[in-house]
Amino acid sequence: MPTNPYAWLEQSLATIHRADWYRSVQPINGRPGATVILAGQEVINFASNDYLGLAGDERLMAAATAAIAQFGTGSTGSRLLSGHRQLHRELEEAIASTKQTEDALVFSSGYLANLGTITALVGKRDLIFSDQYNHSSLKNGAILSGAAFVEYPHCDIAVLKTQLSQQRQNYRRCLILTDSVFSMDGDLCPMPALLAIADKFNCMLLVDEAHATGVLGKTGAGCVEHFGCTGKQLIQVGTLSKALGSLGGYVAGSSTLIDFLQNRAPTWIYTTGLSPADTAAALAAIKIVQQEPQRRAQLWQNVHHLKNLLQEQLPNLKLLPSESPILCFQLSSATDALIAGKQLRDAGIFAPAIRPPTVPTSRIRISLMATHEAAHIEKLVTVLKDIN
């Protein structure tokens, strides 16, 4: 019998080190932006999900400061107890208006929104189909629900259709889960096809718009708008912490869905409400997204500029297919990815290595922001040419 029940932790860490999977935090000083101070070095920031450059915007900070002055620093309890503020409701109404849904519900994080929604909707008598490349929050929500859980190959509609035809009739309810923008690849889900399949097989469809909100669609409403699927019967989940520059998550859908989640989603019922500062900042961000479409236009101009430069100057770079501000290029091993990440960092570029188990193959992930200048993008390409 071992004398130390925690001894396995060191052994497990040693295994992580040997596989080049070890991770550690990197301190960033100052405001977020296109350039940041990372461990004392100024670097061009291609590692952020702050796609519209709003996390350091003076207007968001002013909104957060004003909310603290009026409401204090914390919500003090769950929304069903002492934690509800009118500010929360204003944010939910703004999200529903943006998404053109009947209602919305704000959670304390996007991860909690997925866990709570999935576990509320399905249980042991039900079936979940999940894209192979879905975010951890979707996968863990599926596991926690107790439903039968099947992963279908990435964006493979034919396989999904076959699996549904074979298994759907054996279960009470069925839920299909997908990211709209896949965060570690940059490609988009086949949303119209998924909606058609969900309708054919009487399935619910939950789409995680975390990396699409504020970025895709004519008004920045996300992939649902981008694909012309606004008003369709589906569940939209997302985050306030990426293009909206704040913190928190949301679910948008029918008023019946939102009413149900307020009574059945454990991560909403039993979690302290979103802080006044984060709520106010997100609300300010939504207004800016609506009033300043030029921010989104500049983001896409930067995306096209980088893609054109890479095609011209690095045609052999192994870029993954992307229809978003996320561009990734694959490397043969975790070791190679770590070396490339360090070379970029030494040259003043922050674009870290992404390795298993987060992704199946190691890569460098580049995310663009509206606030990147042409010179930032051109330097990135120059450095990539030097290390490629």
Side-chain angles (χ1 to χ4, degrees):
M1 180 70 68
T3 57
N4 181 0
Y6 304 100
W8 67 272
L9 291 171
E10 290 187 3
Q11 297 168 3
S12 182
L13 279 170
T15 300
I16 292 170
H17 275 288
R18 285 195 297 273
D20 281 327
W21 289 7
Y22 185 77
R23 292 158 173 80
S24 59
V25 297
Q26 302 187 66
I28 291 177
N29 295 319
R31 293 184 191 178
T35 61
V36 293
I37 305 299
L38 181 63
Q41 177 191 9
E42 183 174 3
V43 293
I44 304 171
N45 183 13
F46 287 103
S48 174
N49 296 321
D50 183 22
Y51 300 113
L52 299 179
L54 291 176
D57 191 280
E58 296 280 357
R59 291 164 291 181
L60 269 68
M61 291 188 285
T65 302
I68 290 172
Q70 183 175 0
F71 300 109
T73 57
S75 291
T76 77
S78 72
R79 295 269 299 278
L80 291 175
L81 293 176
S82 61
H84 179 71
R85 301 288 184 272
Q86 180 58 30
L87 203 59
H88 291 125
R89 191 61 200 141
E90 290 175 16
L91 177 56
E92 287 164 348
E93 289 171 350
I95 292 168
S97 176
T98 298
K99 288 290 188 177
Q100 296 187 46
T101 57
E102 290 179 352
D103 208 348
L105 189 65
V106 168
F107 288 70
S108 296
S109 76
Y111 209 109
L112 291 176
N114 275 330
L115 292 186
T117 301
I118 294 167
T119 54
L121 292 175
V122 290
K124 292 181 179 179
R125 292 187 290 162
D126 305 318
L127 176 64
I128 290 175
F129 283 98
S130 175
D131 190 287
Q132 178 186 6
Y133 288 0
N134 275 345
H135 189 264
S136 164
S137 57
L138 292 173
K139 294 185 178 185
N140 283 336
I143 293 167
L144 286 171
S145 74
F149 177 43
V150 178
E151 281 194 332
Y152 60 90
H154 181 50
C155 291
D156 195 326
I157 294 299
V159 171
L160 175 59
K161 187 175 181 179
T162 298
Q163 291 173 329
L164 277 164
S165 65
Q166 293 171 347
Q167 301 183 54
R168 172 65 185 96
Q169 67 275 12
N170 300 322
Y171 295 89
R172 178 185 60 171
R173 291 194 287 265
C174 183
L175 175 63
I176 300 172
L177 303 175
T178 186
D179 284 326
S180 61
V181 176
F182 291 91
S183 62
M184 293 298 148
D185 297 80
D187 57 340
L188 310 184
C189 75
M191 192 177 298
L194 287 170
L195 275 165
I197 283 180
D199 182 61
K200 179 177 181 178
F201 289 96
N202 190 30
C203 301
M204 298 175 286
L205 174 63
L206 185 152
V207 177
D208 188 338
E209 291 268 63
H211 292 267
T213 302
V215 172
L216 284 160
K218 183 178 179 180
T219 69
C223 256
V224 173
E225 181 181 54
H226 170 77
F227 281 115
C229 297
T230 302
K232 301 290 186 181
Q233 195 171 30
L234 77 165
I235 301 158
Q236 299 182 56
V237 180
T239 180
L240 311 172
S241 63
K242 294 179 172 56
L244 299 182
S246 183
L247 181 68
Y250 68 82
V251 180
S254 70
S255 56
T256 303
L257 169 71
I258 299 307
D259 195 18
F260 175 80
L261 292 177
Q262 286 180 324
N263 286 274
R264 283 291 182 266
T267 58
W268 187 84
I269 296 169
Y270 303 111
T271 300
T272 298
L274 193 64
S275 78
D278 292 320
T279 306
L283 187 56
I286 290 174
K287 292 176 182 176
I288 293 171
V289 169
Q290 294 169 343
Q291 295 168 1
E292 299 182 5
Q294 65 269 23
R295 279 184 175 267
R296 193 163 51 260
Q298 182 61 56
L299 170 64
W300 285 104
Q301 184 175 324
N302 288 345
V303 171
H304 298 318
H305 185 42
L306 176 57
K307 283 186 172 181
N308 289 337
L309 288 177
L310 291 175
Q311 187 174 12
E312 292 169 4
Q313 300 185 33
L314 284 163
N316 296 322
L317 194 68
K318 296 179 181 178
L319 278 176
L320 294 173
S322 172
E323 300 169 78
S324 74
I326 301 164
L327 298 177
C328 300
F329 63 92
Q330 289 183 302
L331 292 152
S332 58
S333 68
T335 301
D336 288 345
L338 286 170
I339 291 170
K342 185 179 185 305
Q343 290 174 322
L344 287 163
R345 169 80 174 273
D346 290 343
I349 300 289
F350 183 33
I354 309 296
R355 295 158 286 156
T358 302
V359 289
T361 56
S362 296
R363 64 200 63 182
I364 295 294
R365 179 183 185 270
I366 298 162
S367 55
L368 287 152
M369 299 166 60
T371 47
H372 279 131
E373 299 172 4
H376 296 151
I377 296 167
E378 289 154 13
K379 180 175 180 180
L380 169 64
V381 175
T382 298
V383 173
L384 287 173
K385 286 168 62 178
D386 289 340
I387 69 172
N388 190 45

